[in-house]
Structures are given as structure tokens and as C-alpha cells.
Amino acid sequence: MQPFTQNIIQIIRSIPKGCVMSYGQIAACAGNPRAARQVARALHSMSEKHDLPWHRVVNAKGEIAVKEPSRQRDLLEKEGVVVIHDKISMRDYQHDDPLCFEE
């Protein structure tokens, strides 16, 4: 596994309950701010294998961006995140990860 991918996994695992991070934020913290799509691919292919809290990752606008938003919405709401029209307030719930690997 590439170091960038390992960083992605570590960062996603570090998102606490009740918080979210964006794909781009994770990419930047993992060391490549232009790799948001790579974060999405890694999350899609590895979330089950690595037991990642996939539901805590949203797009840069705070919107749920998965095919079936109801499951993600339900999981976030169980953690205390307020979701209105499939959107989360990044100001209120965004996690600033201390594990950032950015330079």
C-alpha cells in the first residue's frame, strides 16, 4: 500500500464521532491537496476492509455525496450531527485533524 493511501486510512480513522471531514481536506492532510478523487476511490474500495467511518466524509460544501444518502444521514444523526437537506454545517462539525501529513 502506498504511503499516501496509508495516510488517508489513518486520517479517516481519526475523525471522531460527531465530526466530518471533506474529501479535499483529507487529501491535503494526507499530503496531496489535489487528490480528493483519490480519497473517494480509496474510501469506496477500502472502507469495509479497514472498518473506516466512511459516513464522516462529505464533500467540500458539507453535502452528502453518496448514492444512498439516507444511510449516511442516519449514521451521522446518531452521532449528534445535524443534517438538513443532506447538508452538514462544516463550520459546526468539521474536524481539523492533528494527524495532517501536509508539509
Side-chain angles (χ1 to χ4, degrees):
M1 184 181 310
Q2 297 293 320
F4 180 70
T5 305
Q6 291 174 338
N7 292 348
I8 290 170
I9 290 170
Q10 266 191 288
I11 292 164
I12 293 171
R13 280 187 178 146
S14 76
I15 304 170
K17 290 181 180 180
C19 293
V20 297
M21 287 181 78
S22 72
Y23 296 99
Q25 181 186 5
I26 293 167
C29 284
N32 187 349
R34 299 181 58 129
R37 288 184 187 204
Q38 192 172 343
V39 171
R41 282 192 296 274
L43 188 62
H44 177 74
S45 65
M46 297 184 195
S47 61
E48 191 172 314
K49 178 181 179 182
H50 293 278
D51 196 30
L52 299 176
W54 62 271
H55 61 284
R56 297 181 190 145
V57 182
V58 296
N59 73 17
K61 296 177 184 177
E63 297 169 338
I64 293 175
V66 295
K67 289 181 182 177
E68 294 185 33
S70 61
R71 184 163 179 234
Q72 186 172 8
R73 183 182 336 105
D74 290 346
L75 290 169
L76 287 169
E77 287 176 341
K78 284 180 184 175
E79 293 182 355
V81 176
V82 176
V83 182
I84 300 172
H85 302 295
D86 293 335
K87 189 168 183 178
I88 294 103
S89 168
M90 294 300 275
R91 186 187 63 198
D92 294 333
Y93 297 103
Q94 185 173 27
H95 176 59
D96 291 319
D97 195 335
L99 288 179
C100 278
F101 298 94
E102 62 189 357
E103 296 178 5

